[in-house]
Amino acid sequence: MRFGILGPLEVRTDDGTPVDPGGPRPRALLTLLLLDAGHPVSTQRLTDGLYGAEPPAGAANALQSQISRLRRRLAPHTDVEAVPAGYRLDVPPESVDAHRFEQLAGQGRAALADGDHKGAAARLREALALWRGPALPDLPSAHAEVARLEELRLAAVQDRIEADLGLGGGPELVPELRALLRDHPLSERLYGQLMRALHAGGRPAEALTVYEEARRTLADELGADPSPELSALHLELLQGTEPERRRLPVQLTRFVGREPELARMAALLAEARLITLTGPGGAGKTRLAIEAAATLTNRTSTGARSSAGHPSPSPDVCFVELAPVADGQQIPYAVLTALGVREGFRSRAADSTDRLLGTLENREVLLVLDNCEHLVEDAARVSALVLAACPGVRVLATSRESLGITGEVLVPVPPLRPEPAERLFLDRARAVRPGFDGHARVPDICAALDGLPLAIELAAARLRTLTPDELAERLDDRFRLLSRGDRSKAPRHRTLRAVVEWSWELLDEEERELARRLTVFSGGATLEAVEAVCGLPYPEDVLASLVEKSFVEVSEGRYRMLETIRAFAAENLSAPGALADAHAAYFLRLAEEAEPNVRGGGQLPWLERLSAEHDNLDAALRHLVRHGPRDALRLMAVLSCFWRLRGLHGGQVASARELLAAVGDAPPPGLTEEYVLCAINVLLGDGEDAAGRDGLVARVDAILAAYEGPLRLPYILMLWSLAVGPRPASNDRAIALAGEDPWARALLEVGLGFQERFAGRPREAEESFARALEAFRETGDRWGMANCLDPLGMFALARGDARRALELIDEGLAYMREVAAPEETADLLRTRGAVLLHQGDTAGAEIHFGQALALARDAGLPDKMAGARRGLGDAARLAGDPARAREQYEAALETCAANWFSVGETARILIGLGRTAVAEGRAEEARDWFRQAAELAVEGPGELELAEVAEALASVAGSPERAAVLLGAATGLRGAPDAGAPDVVRAEREARAGLSAEAYAAAFERGRSRRSAAVSER
């Protein structure tokens, strides 16, 4: 459990569920116990804390009663143990925010003492974030403890400010420090921190004024002078001394994200002599270089020691901005100027280079060469000369391409990942809209802007006048929208367009032309696709150049443009229609090559390849729907099986409707199967009116009835069954359509297995699924194997062999996880949960049902969500929690879709609600639920649901004989008993208890022979 006392008392279980500890008295009692979590608390201390110095008569009994009630509130998650002379709350101290706060604050203080400002800041922020309000509000008597905690909180705040100052912070800390001094006007540490923050922000006069303010306040209030430490700081500011690291540009905003890159650079700066940060424009290379250099100087000045044990001198950091330098010959001048060495521009370049080498020869210097990309060859030449001649010099460069020097260490600076990108947006948004606490569209905005820090900062600034929804909706025109940047920045850093234009101007014409053509791809492309679509032979060298210049990313053989760069390059694309035609033609060929492999031994690599090209395939389909409907039918047809496997079919319904409308009411010549699959994709979606749906079903039925076969695309049989349910057509017709294709024959065995199962012939059904499993093993189709292993596992369970059931289901799960099919994986997880319920493992079952629910929710599968929620309801009911069970069943009922295969699921949910009513002693309500389930069950494809209704009715039969009849009817309908099912076992035990063995057997046999008739009797 987790407990919070730094603010109103809060109790939550490990999964975040809140627990109500009760009214004011139990809340105070729990707070007292939490202050010494895991340790004994004396009865006297608890009594004093609850009642004060004068407890009422009977206080000991009252305390014991309060302890008992508190135990019940906290059970089963933890316990209040009685110990000699008191009580102990059995939880670890770290589960209480106050103890966790002290632990983190101590770690932060230790890190600060070691000179690890970054680590200190992180731990102290984590500690302070635990405070949700005043400490211990539920324990009014704890004045001393409250004062102690508040003192620790203030100390942690001051330590965090110290860490921020050590990391180069300053101006942004001033408002916070002034507010703190208003509340703590005698804190010399706060005065010193405010002076340092003002000085770091370029406001030395104000810093000196703060010292005078401190001196007057201390004299007036305490009659004392400032401490030697504060006086020394005052003298240092008067003399203008300043660490060399202040040559780095002072930043006005907090540094957010980039923790992995910063950590890597901290290690590299101790070893490497040349590090180059590379990445696209706007990725934050300059800021990262500044932060890394500042961290290096902070660590060295506060913690590093020489071999003799003396503190090492702070390294000299020289920041050189090369963006304004137009001629590479002027780089030595720029470096000398940054070093404070005056150098006439009339000197020859060779003289300036010699002067630079002489200046640096015996110095320990970190040169930060910022923005080298437009002078990359000259920057490389100067860097190589300096590094060779000056052993104490290290170079940290930023560039959109590497310098290309031996020994250079490259640190790519990619766009921010989602979480730090969102943190950056929130941080910058609060600067223009105080109190902004996030919005549902923030992740979308950051993703649309590729996680580029510059774009995110520009977008956050627009919240001054736009809502998050308005901002997100306008990002299609991002270059106009993000055109108002920081006026203090250089023009090329002021707007998003300027940043991208700077990169574009660095490309030659061949690189620009390929960049324009690459915009036709969505989600990247392989080298093969680039060569086929872009019409440039041997494009690998140009691609490599675009990668080196950070205009294109490459990962695992795929080349990808950031969406911002893609939008810019597409503005100047000539003949976009012809390029889109070539793109669609290539991906149609790829999909047609993939189709038979997706159902065979090459299933996994081809599924991965299609998944990697999903965005391109979608773009090709959209283009063909509008400009080539015949080819669109071909592409949709060969992708239909892939979509189904990966749970992507829902996103294609709109395209299928548009395509079907464009093609008309009859298949084009030679495309009958493709037309049928287009219609099936429409039927698998929602939104069709009943008349339109019935008409489309009748049309496809007629087409398939007239089609000679065999099918080239045999998964039509599977998808057609899923779309419309069992059809009255004969098996002979299905066999004719399947032909001799081994995969199709295996699929027919699956269909036959379900028919036998629905008809109450379990032995025959199991044999069909077993034959299908072997046939799918021969084809190598993991999806087919898993779809056989699921029912085979349930047959084993019905025989009472739970171990074998789990073996079969786990094999199926392994296949489905390889295939990454969300729908079937959710099914198998739910089946495994059902097996665990049979074994009495309700906790394990609940975990599996929860996993199935999460998977189905992410994939947008309402029927699978309903099934998982029903499983959660069953688990809660069998665990003795009918209230939670009802919540899950009702949520499942709301989720169920109105289609043919939801009939059985809905009937089972109604049965669950009825069994819950039985558990709560409401037999008549239960009978009503069971009657509704029975009425629905007769609409199902078979009699399995009716068998479950019969078993449920047995629990409210009114007599042991009637219960035995219903249990017999269930066995007759199912074709075999459901061995070990908890509800059935209970009903059978109760019926047998009221009858002789002979009477029970006779009634059971009577029900089994009459089956459905026995269920309908009243």
Side-chain angles (χ1 to χ4, degrees), residues 11 22 39 375 480 511 533 853 881:
V11 183
H39 299 285
L375 306 169
R480 183 196 61 78
E511 292 165 344
V533 173
L853 177 61
D881 190 347

Side-chain angles (χ1 to χ4, degrees), residues 285 320-331 334 369-380 398-403 490 492-493 501-507 548-549:
K285 300 182 293 295
V320 187
E321 171 58 85
L322 294 180
V325 179
D327 181 357
Q329 296 297 312
Q330 295 181 355
I331 292 177
L369 302 181
D370 191 38
N371 295 304
C372 298
E373 52 270 353
H374 62 305
L375 306 169
V376 66
E377 292 188 5
D378 289 301
T398 75
S399 177
R400 297 184 196 184
E401 62 178 302
S402 67
L403 300 187
R492 69 180 190 82
H493 276 154
E501 280 179 340
W502 172 268
S503 297
W504 186 257
E505 293 302 321
L506 298 176
L507 305 180
E548 289 169 1
K549 295 181 178 180

Side-chain angles (χ1 to χ4, degrees), residues 826-849:
D827 279 338
L828 283 158
L829 285 169
R830 187 181 62 178
T831 303
R832 198 176 198 283
V835 176
L836 295 177
L837 271 188
H838 271 62
Q839 294 181 306
D841 183 3
T842 54
E846 190 167 349
I847 290 172
H848 282 72
F849 293 136

Side-chain angles (χ1 to χ4, degrees), residues 405-646:
I405 302 174
T406 301
E408 178 182 27
V409 177
L410 297 180
V411 178
V413 183
L416 288 171
R417 299 181 310 280
E419 188 273 332
E422 292 161 28
R423 280 197 285 121
L424 176 63
F425 185 93
L426 292 174
D427 183 82
R428 302 305 191 253
R430 287 170 184 144
V432 298
R433 184 181 283 191
F436 182 73
D437 196 30
H439 189 275
R441 299 301 295 275
V442 169
D444 297 336
I445 293 169
C446 294
L449 295 173
D450 303 302
L452 283 174
L454 174 65
I456 290 169
E457 291 184 336
L458 292 171
R462 294 308 301 263
L463 290 185
R464 184 182 290 111
T465 55
L466 297 176
T467 68
D469 285 323
E470 290 170 336
L471 177 61
E473 289 161 6
R474 286 166 169 75
L475 285 179
D476 286 343
D477 193 7
R478 66 188 65 200
F479 295 115
R480 183 196 61 78
L481 182 69
L482 307 181
S483 60
R484 301 177 64 184
D486 186 343
R487 293 189 182 96
S488 68
K489 299 285 187 183
R492 69 180 190 82
H493 276 154
R494 208 170 286 175
T495 69
L496 188 61
R497 177 176 290 281
V499 169
V500 182
E501 280 179 340
W502 172 268
S503 297
W504 186 257
E505 293 302 321
L506 298 176
L507 305 180
D508 62 33
E509 186 51 41
E510 187 180 24
E511 292 165 344
R512 290 179 194 167
E513 182 57 31
L514 181 56
R516 293 185 191 102
R517 298 186 187 188
L518 287 174
T519 61
V520 75
F521 294 102
S522 299
T526 62
L527 177 61
E528 173 191 306
V530 173
E531 188 170 9
V533 173
C534 295
L536 295 177
Y538 311 112
E540 47 267 57
D541 289 342
V542 185
L543 279 172
S545 182
L546 289 172
V547 170
E548 289 169 1
K549 295 181 178 180
S550 301
F551 218 80
V552 170
E553 299 174 335
V554 62
S555 176
E556 298 181 356
R558 292 188 66 80
Y559 296 87
R560 176 182 174 272
M561 276 182 165
L562 296 180
E563 193 58 35
T564 297
I565 294 175
R566 183 170 175 253
F568 181 90
E571 291 179 346
N572 300 312
L573 178 63
S574 59
L579 194 61
D581 288 341
H583 175 272
Y586 172 80
F587 284 102
L588 173 58
R589 291 194 301 273
L590 177 70
E592 289 183 330
E593 182 183 357
E595 186 276 322
N597 292 287
V598 167
R599 297 180 283 114
Q603 187 174 59
L604 296 183
W606 275 101
L607 283 174
E608 288 306 309
R609 187 167 181 185
L610 291 179
S611 294
E613 301 293 3
H614 176 57
D615 291 340
N616 279 312
L617 291 164
D618 277 0
L621 181 60
R622 288 193 298 271
H623 176 76
L624 291 173
V625 167
R626 292 167 176 76
H627 303 287
R630 287 181 58 90
D631 285 341
L633 283 174
R634 292 167 56 199
L635 182 57
M636 178 169 284
V638 294
L639 289 177
S640 293
C641 188
F642 162 68
W643 291 335
R644 185 70 198 180
L645 286 177
R646 285 294 167 90

Side-chain angles (χ1 to χ4, degrees), residues 209-226:
T209 302
V210 169
Y211 176 79
E212 292 304 318
E213 178 187 339
R215 187 181 61 76
R216 284 196 307 272
T217 301
L218 293 170
D220 293 345
E221 297 294 330
L222 302 177
D225 292 327

Side-chain angles (χ1 to χ4, degrees), residues 742-743 745-747 749 768-781 784-785 788:
W743 187 90
R745 288 287 184 171
L747 187 64
E749 285 286 2
S768 287
F769 284 120
R771 288 193 296 270
L773 175 61
E774 292 309 310
F776 279 128
R777 287 194 196 281
E778 291 180 10
T779 68
D781 181 4
M785 289 187 273
C788 298

